[in-house]
Amino acid sequence: MLIFAAIDTGPTQSKEIVIDEDLFYAIASGDKNAFCTLYQQTRSAVYTYTLSLLRNQADANDATQDTYLKIRAAAHLYRSEGKPMAWILTIARNICLMKMRQQKHYASFELEEDTPALDFDQIEDLEDRVVLETAFRVLSKEECQVVFLHAVTGYKHRQISELLQMPLSTVLSKYNRGLKKLRSALEGSL
């Protein structure tokens, strides 16, 4: 009910994911438990973010897995700046952008395939599943990113602006427009 609660109650109720930065140093030294802890704390946010970028579950799963492989390999490069989730999501974003460039390159050689329908069966909470399905149906790609970054990771609008490299006013506009669309669609389905 994490996503539904964040969408339903608006911008004041989202909860930011807090990560102990020492986990990166432990991961760099080979601590498997630290890696598992980081994965457990952040996997939902990373997967939701990659899904909002790629809009394909298989690709989002691959990008999420690649993100954690990169984190494990590059943990020694982490520099404490007080923004560990931003570092993780930047890695995820770069992996997604690489994947999109590869797909664009291969799309010119392959026949256009139907995009598979998104399947949210892995989301156990029924309300969260309904919100996700509705969001991917009615929101633009950027609105989805902004709304989910705020709802799932608890990012402030300024942090989202920095991560997505968008002006703050654009982030606020996309967030408010996305919430209105989402609320309207959800009220219509009740």
Side-chain angles (χ1 to χ4, degrees):
M1 201 148 100
L2 171 71
I3 297 169
F4 186 76
I7 302 288
D8 190 42
T9 57
T12 58
Q13 295 294 323
S14 63
K15 183 179 176 189
E16 188 169 357
I17 296 173
V18 179
I19 301 168
D20 180 3
E21 291 183 347
D22 290 337
L23 287 174
F24 294 106
Y25 306 118
I27 292 168
S29 67
D31 185 342
K32 292 179 184 176
N33 289 331
F35 183 74
C36 288
T37 300
L38 179 72
Y39 177 78
Q40 291 297 323
Q41 288 178 349
T42 61
R43 69 179 170 170
S44 177
V46 171
Y47 174 75
T48 303
Y49 181 59
T50 60
L51 186 61
S52 74
L53 286 168
L54 299 171
R55 293 190 175 249
N56 177 296
Q57 286 176 301
D59 290 342
N61 281 326
D62 289 346
T64 300
Q65 182 178 11
D66 291 346
T67 298
Y68 287 100
L69 290 173
K70 181 72 173 181
I71 288 168
R72 191 166 185 173
H76 66 283
L77 299 173
Y78 178 77
R79 299 293 172 248
S80 179
E81 296 177 7
K83 299 179 182 181
M85 196 64 194
W87 189 71
I88 293 170
L89 293 179
T90 299
I91 291 171
R93 180 175 178 264
N94 290 339
I95 288 171
C96 289
L97 291 174
M98 237 179 2
K99 188 172 273 299
M100 287 187 274
R101 280 192 289 268
Q102 289 171 344
Q103 289 171 348
K104 204 180 278 187
H105 173 72
Y106 290 121
S108 62
F109 297 109
E110 296 178 1
L111 294 173
E112 192 68 32
E113 293 182 21
D114 288 335
T115 305
L118 293 173
D119 177 19
F120 295 101
D121 288 341
Q122 63 186 348
I123 308 297
E124 293 175 13
D125 188 279
L126 182 60
E127 290 176 341
D128 277 354
R129 189 181 312 167
V130 169
V131 171
L132 283 171
E133 289 171 348
T134 304
F136 280 97
R137 193 178 72 243
V138 301
L139 300 180
S140 73
K141 189 176 189 177
E142 288 180 334
E143 289 168 342
C144 242
Q145 289 173 36
V146 170
V147 169
F148 286 141
L149 279 170
H150 185 72
V152 176
T153 67
Y155 266 31
K156 308 288 186 257
H157 298 297
R158 187 170 308 283
Q159 293 170 307
I160 296 169
S161 170
E162 291 170 10
L163 180 68
L164 298 180
Q165 299 171 347
M166 283 183 199
L168 179 59
S169 59
T170 303
V171 168
L172 290 168
S173 170
K174 289 187 182 301
Y175 178 76
N176 289 321
R177 189 175 323 119
L179 276 187
K180 284 179 186 174
K181 283 178 166 178
L182 193 52
R183 282 189 184 125
S184 175
L186 288 171
E187 288 170 359
S189 67
L190 293 178

